[in-house]
Amino acid sequence: MSVITEDGVRGENLFRDISADGDDITQIESMCMNCHLNGMTRLLLTKIPFFKEVIVSSFNCDNCSWSNTEIQSAGRIQDQGVCYTLKVKTKQDLDREVVKSDGATTKIPELDFEIPPFTQKGALSTIEGLIDRAAAGLEQDQPLRRATDPEVADKIEEFIQKLKTLKEVESEFTLVIEDPSGNSFIENPIAPQKDEALTVTTFTRTMQQDMQLGLRADDDLDEEPAGNDIETMKDEVLAFNTNCPECNAPARTNMKIVEIPHFKEVIIMATNCDSCGHRTNEVKSGGATEAMGTRITLHVTDPSDMTRDVLKSETCALSIPELEFELGMAAVGGKFTTLEGLLKDIKDLIVSKNPFTCGDSSSSDRVQKLQAFGEKIDKIMAGEMDIHFILDDPTGNSYMQNVYAPDPDPEITIEKYTRTFEQNEELGLNDMKTEGYENEK
């Protein structure tokens, strides 16, 4: 984020890398919420490497010694919400790092426990830290409860003990973090391999969630989106104003409908920022969700396979069985590129842009594993490894180029399958009704 003066000149970036000196810390005198006297709030606008810009605030009161710290995301709200479901099986799982935003909902189903959104400040912590924070919040008003309603206080005390017992991990329990803003995160300690204990899903926000995040006005409930005729847009490049996902400066996004031979129409969106030079592109399906899911398996046997065109929708998962590697949907977004370009994106995401490979979060074993994974990706792109590359798209909107078209490709296997109830639920299809409206009043 940059400062723009009244004469239109872009000033120095507000968010700086962490340094040893304290020149970047802003100090503000503010009222203590405990004793109502004045204390000091310190603000640090900084960047977490390979993650995003954040605001770290710390309050301390010299009068009553009360202190408080919190972290807030200064980046943009993501296109989709995210839900992390973790099966906590060992004490090592309690050490997983967690980024929890203000609007995230935290649940522990085994205890019927839920922390609603916007009731806690954002935090960068661990699983154990989240449990301790929840227990401390419940203990805060216990003296008053014991004086006014001892029976309720006893029940809450019993529940607090159950929360604290979770840290012993005597039995498996589930932690769910659901964040409509998409800015929360739970660490995968064995990345780039798939974490069987951690499930990550994305979802489309409801109108009420958009209003909670400030993306819609209250009077938008009665508005209906205007329809577009795709046929009239095929020869046009549409442009609209947006903000850069890196520096948040005003940028411009171009959108074009393209027809892929032997497949279908897709929408290509490209954003270019003149301020920081950041470029991004994304591909979305221009058609409806297919009746069945599609699993495309390519047997990579020759370096020429790297030049095959690939369309990966935002709902498509990737896997390479030979590397025991699996990447969930929406991890690299929608892409229309070559197989080599997609592999480079995977390598950048897992190795170069992983927020837990540097600083206090890194460990030598983890870095070595990620570097070894990157070397294997390089060997695949050089044609030195014989692998199977699998695109699994429950919407059926992904594509792998058939270089023998219109004849069958001997190296490609395409399977059609019926989606499960859970997949339809994740895609929002179970509650979608498109027929019979003319009979309803």
Side-chain angles (χ1 to χ4, degrees):
M1 184 181 294
S2 301
V3 179
I4 302 178
T5 59
E6 294 181 357
D7 56 0
V9 178
R10 187 172 301 280
E12 187 178 3
N13 199 311
L14 289 174
F15 295 87
R16 304 178 183 178
D17 296 329
I18 296 177
S19 60
D21 55 43
D23 297 339
D24 298 335
I25 297 178
T26 302
Q27 300 191 49
I28 303 173
E29 188 174 359
S30 54
M31 186 179 73
C32 174
M33 293 295 100
N34 186 47
C35 68
H36 304 292
L37 298 177
N38 284 345
M40 188 65 66
T41 296
R42 294 173 176 82
L43 299 175
L44 175 63
L45 283 65
T46 187
K47 302 175 183 177
I48 296 179
F50 305 107
F51 188 47
K52 61 182 63 178
E53 295 166 338
V54 296
I55 301 175
V56 181
S57 65
S58 174
F59 176 83
N60 185 60
C61 179
D62 293 333
N63 300 289
C64 65
S65 300
W66 188 73
S67 62
N68 182 41
T69 60
E70 64 179 85
I71 182 172
Q72 295 180 348
S73 172
R76 68 185 184 96
I77 294 175
Q78 304 304 310
D79 296 331
Q80 290 185 306
V82 65
C83 180
Y84 289 87
T85 303
L86 174 66
K87 296 290 186 181
V88 180
K89 301 178 181 180
T90 64
K91 286 190 175 182
Q92 286 74 20
D93 288 329
L94 298 177
D95 296 330
R96 292 177 186 244
E97 298 193 6
V98 178
V99 177
K100 177 186 172 298
S101 73
D102 294 1
T105 300
T106 305
K107 303 176 184 177
I108 302 177
E110 288 79 1
L111 298 183
D112 289 330
F113 178 67
E114 177 177 328
I115 303 175
F118 301 105
T119 57
Q120 284 186 347
K121 298 296 184 181
L124 174 60
S125 183
T126 61
I127 304 295
E128 183 176 7
L130 288 182
I131 295 174
D132 286 338
R133 190 181 185 191
L138 292 172
E139 289 175 337
Q140 184 174 359
D141 295 328
Q142 278 295 83
L144 178 61
R145 292 192 192 100
R146 289 192 179 95
T148 58
D149 196 336
E151 184 178 350
V152 172
D154 291 341
K155 291 181 179 179
I156 293 179
E157 182 64 32
E158 182 181 351
F159 186 82
I160 292 172
Q161 295 306 316
K162 289 182 180 179
L163 269 180
K164 293 181 177 180
T165 303
L166 291 180
K167 297 192 296 181
E168 301 300 325
V169 197
E170 295 177 353
S171 60
E172 177 183 313
F173 68 93
T174 307
L175 177 72
V176 180
I177 296 181
E178 182 178 319
D179 186 2
S181 73
N183 287 327
S184 293
F185 184 84
I186 295 182
E187 177 190 8
N188 173 6
I190 59 173
Q193 298 179 9
K194 180 182 178 181
D195 189 345
E196 297 295 340
L198 181 64
T199 303
V200 184
T201 58
T202 58
F203 60 89
T204 302
R205 286 185 292 270
T206 64
M207 190 173 296
Q208 287 75 15
Q209 288 173 329
D210 278 342
M211 291 186 343
Q212 283 184 329
L213 296 173
L215 300 178
R216 286 179 181 265
D218 293 343
D219 54 4
D220 284 349
L221 285 171
D222 298 328
E223 295 182 3
E224 294 184 0
N228 290 321
D229 186 1
I230 293 183
E231 293 297 328
T232 62
M233 299 167 57
K234 285 185 177 179
D235 298 327
E236 299 181 30
V237 177
L238 303 180
F240 52 91
N241 296 324
T242 183
N243 288 346
C244 173
E246 288 294 323
C247 68
N248 208 36
R252 197 170 184 83
T253 295
N254 296 325
M255 183 176 72
K256 179 74 166 64
I257 296 179
V258 177
E259 185 171 348
I260 298 178
H262 308 290
F263 190 53
K264 61 174 68 175
E265 295 171 342
V266 297
I267 300 174
I268 298 179
M269 304 175 69
T271 302
N272 184 26
C273 179
D274 295 331
S275 299
C276 67
H278 175 74
R279 291 186 175 186
T280 181
N281 63 79
E282 187 174 1
V283 177
K284 295 184 178 294
S285 172
T289 299
E290 296 293 325
M292 302 183 72
T294 303
R295 185 178 293 105
I296 305 172
T297 303
L298 170 66
H299 187 195
V300 179
T301 58
D302 190 86
S304 62
D305 288 327
M306 294 296 108
T307 62
R308 290 178 184 258
D309 288 333
V310 178
L311 170 65
K312 177 203 171 293
S313 78
E314 62 271 18
T315 59
C316 180
L318 309 174
S319 61
I320 303 175
E322 288 78 5
L323 300 186
E324 297 183 353
F325 171 72
E326 183 173 332
L327 189 67
M329 62 175 66
V332 292
K335 294 282 184 180
F336 184 38
T337 180
T338 61
L339 181 57
E340 182 179 13
L342 189 55
L343 288 171
K344 286 182 178 179
D345 288 338
I346 293 173
K347 179 182 176 182
D348 289 342
L349 176 69
I350 301 300
V351 181
S352 303
K353 298 180 180 180
N354 192 324
F356 296 107
T357 58
C358 59
D360 295 338
S361 302
S362 65
S363 64
S364 58
D365 292 342
R366 184 184 305 166
V367 172
Q368 289 175 1
K369 289 180 181 178
L370 293 176
Q371 289 177 346
F373 176 80
E375 292 172 358
K376 291 179 181 179
I377 293 293
D378 290 335
K379 289 182 179 180
I380 293 173
M381 291 189 290
E384 299 176 5
M385 287 187 67
D386 189 345
I387 58 115
H388 291 79
F389 191 85
I390 302 174
L391 299 173
D392 190 346
D393 189 353
T395 66
N397 287 327
S398 293
Y399 163 83
M400 177 78 70
Q401 181 187 12
N402 176 2
V403 295
Y404 297 91
D407 297 326
D409 191 324
E411 303 299 338
I412 292 181
T413 303
I414 301 178
E415 305 172 58
K416 296 287 185 178
Y417 62 88
T418 302
R419 287 185 292 270
T420 63
F421 178 87
E422 288 75 15
Q423 288 174 320
N424 282 330
E425 185 72 17
E426 187 175 342
L427 296 171
L429 299 178
N430 289 332
D431 299 323
M432 186 178 296
K433 183 177 181 181
T434 59
E435 298 176 353
Y437 285 102
E438 66 276 3
N439 298 325
E440 297 183 4
K441 298 295 184 181

